[in-house]
Amino acid sequence: MKYFSRIYLLFLVPLLLAVLGLTGCTTVPETGRRQLNFMSPGDEMQLGVSEFDKMKQGVPISKDPAANALLQRVGHRIAAVCPMKDAKWEFVVFESKEANAFCLPGGKVGVYTGILPITKDEAGLATVIGHEVAHAVARHGGERITEAMGLQLLGVVVDAGTRESKYHSAFVSGYGLGSQLGVALPHSRKQESEADHIGLLYMSRAGYDPEQAVFFWQRFADFNSKQGSATPWFLRTHPLDAKRVEQLRGWMPEAKAQFRPAK
């Protein structure tokens, strides 16, 4: 009986994933890439709003009027050109030395003060905001959650199918490592590159010179080199800085064709 249960599971889970794949496919705006996302836009937005509220309660909000005014100006210009009709835009500067920013589903954008010296000017900040907003527009958060669910289900199959083998532990460990190195991390880097691409278009449409994106990422590369990160490329969640600059230059003709200087 246990043997047939395992065989049943081995066929049932892949079949379930295939059926869900047919119903959960969506298309990423701008790039046209097909993605698997089981989460509804409403559920994503609710999750984003909830997490942003927690952030505002747990991380100090900057009182710097210049930084806040800059973010509002850049943020609303980027928001005006992206296709998030139901977004409830909110732009907040958080006090933190971390050189980072984020955009949660629903249009909740946070920028840490630690990245402002690297953005340097309005166009540099537009590069960052365009990239983060692109993650939300492309629904990368829901896609990652869907991916994690799929990997977890397949892990159940591997565990059940090899449980009586003397190599069970090796199979399970190998699956865990392989799913990270072969699926999760490459997919994360692919999403980051896609956000770079879409964000470049948004900043161009908002009236920011897309060439400034290259200069920002070069400054960010200098910052990273000074931090002394020694993480191998295959363990990174983001593309190498040099790769990002190379890709941006490849997308530059498309971005320049959509560039309209702000009046």
Side-chain angles (χ1 to χ4, degrees), residues 53-241:
D53 286 342
K54 292 178 183 177
M55 280 287 299
K56 289 188 292 184
Q57 293 172 12
V59 182
I61 295 176
S62 173
K63 297 180 181 179
D64 183 341
N68 281 288
L70 177 63
L71 177 58
Q72 298 306 315
R73 184 165 61 251
V74 174
H76 286 290
R77 279 177 62 175
I78 296 292
V81 300
C82 75
M84 283 182 64
K85 298 179 180 179
D86 298 326
K88 298 177 181 178
W89 292 106
E90 189 175 359
F91 303 92
V92 177
V93 180
F94 291 99
E95 283 288 352
S96 172
K97 293 181 180 180
E98 185 178 351
N100 210 344
F102 62 90
C103 180
L104 298 176
K108 305 302 181 181
V109 181
V111 173
Y112 296 134
T113 52
I115 202 171
L116 296 180
I118 308 171
T119 58
K120 189 177 180 180
D121 52 28
E122 194 164 329
L125 184 57
T127 303
V128 173
I129 300 303
H131 172 92
E132 298 303 338
V133 166
H135 275 307
V137 172
R139 300 182 60 197
H140 286 161
E143 186 178 18
R144 289 186 186 185
I145 292 174
T146 299
E147 178 187 82
M149 292 167 56
L151 291 175
Q152 187 174 22
L153 279 173
L154 289 175
V156 171
V157 174
V158 172
D159 179 57
T162 62
R163 188 163 296 168
E164 293 185 2
S165 169
K166 63 180 180 179
Y167 302 113
H168 174 255
S169 296
F171 278 123
V172 173
S173 298
Y175 171 79
L177 181 61
S179 63
Q180 283 298 306
L181 297 182
V183 179
L185 290 174
H187 192 200
S188 176
R189 293 191 291 269
K190 184 175 183 178
Q191 286 184 335
E192 292 298 329
S193 292
E194 187 169 60
D196 284 346
H197 185 183
I198 298 174
L200 188 69
L201 301 181
Y202 289 165
M203 70 177 291
S204 298
R205 294 173 192 170
Y208 295 105
D209 180 4
E211 290 281 2
Q212 295 301 314
V214 172
F215 300 141
F216 165 77
W217 285 112
Q218 288 173 334
R219 292 194 298 271
F220 200 78
D222 290 339
F223 170 81
N224 282 335
S225 66
K226 291 176 182 176
Q227 301 304 303
S229 174
T231 304
W233 70 267
F234 55 86
L235 292 178
R236 292 173 179 258
T237 58
H238 292 58
L240 294 172
D241 295 319

